Amino acid sequence: MEALFAILVGLFFSAAVYLILSRFSIRIMLGIAILGNAVNLLIFTAGRLTRVVPPIIPAGADSLPSGAANPLPQALILTAIVISFSFLAFLLVLTYRAYQELGTDDTTRMHDAEPEDRPLPPLGY
């Protein structure tokens, strides 16, 4: 099962990098969302995938039984999900406002602050 999750994490990372390298801001935003999910899945897989022994300390014991899933990555992932959702909401608003102001989501045409006929940089010193 962990090998399947490792392949899935690899696919998520490759799709995220492909989308982030795009020049359209919507694709970049989706790539960042997929990257966050890939990292969450990677942390979850590193914390062991098992349903046989729950991550609960039995009465009279001082630690988890052997073979139990680690509860710390699960808690970290819950926090990361909330943070990535709020970051995605911020990116969505930012992308929408940029589209409203500039009329495009193509990042190569989003250079209103730069002058149209700017001089070339010096070729030598």
Side-chain angles (χ1 to χ4, degrees):
M1 188 60 139
E2 289 179 357
L4 179 68
F5 273 94
I7 292 170
L8 187 63
V9 166
L11 288 174
F12 274 19
F13 271 112
S14 61
V17 168
Y18 175 76
L19 288 172
I20 288 173
L21 292 177
S22 175
R23 65 182 196 180
F24 298 102
S25 58
I26 298 292
R27 290 182 185 175
I28 294 170
M29 184 182 61
L30 290 174
I32 290 171
I34 292 173
L35 182 68
N37 289 329
V39 170
N40 289 342
L41 193 59
L42 178 69
I43 293 171
F44 184 68
T45 305
R48 279 179 276 172
L49 300 172
T50 181
R51 294 190 315 182
V52 178
V53 182
I56 299 173
I57 298 175
D62 292 335
S63 63
L64 287 172
S66 64
N70 192 355
L72 182 63
Q74 296 174 9
L76 290 174
I77 290 169
L78 285 174
T79 305
I81 288 170
V82 172
I83 293 170
S84 65
F85 178 73
S86 63
F87 184 61
L88 182 63
F90 170 73
L91 286 179
L92 182 64
V93 170
L94 185 67
T95 303
Y96 180 69
R97 288 291 296 149
Y99 181 76
Q100 277 184 334
E101 292 293 321
L102 302 172
T104 183
D105 69 335
D106 188 357
T107 56
T108 58
R109 294 191 293 169
M110 288 185 174
H111 48 75
D112 282 350
E114 299 173 4
E116 290 291 327
D117 53 348
R118 63 181 178 194
L120 293 174
L123 299 176
Y125 294 99

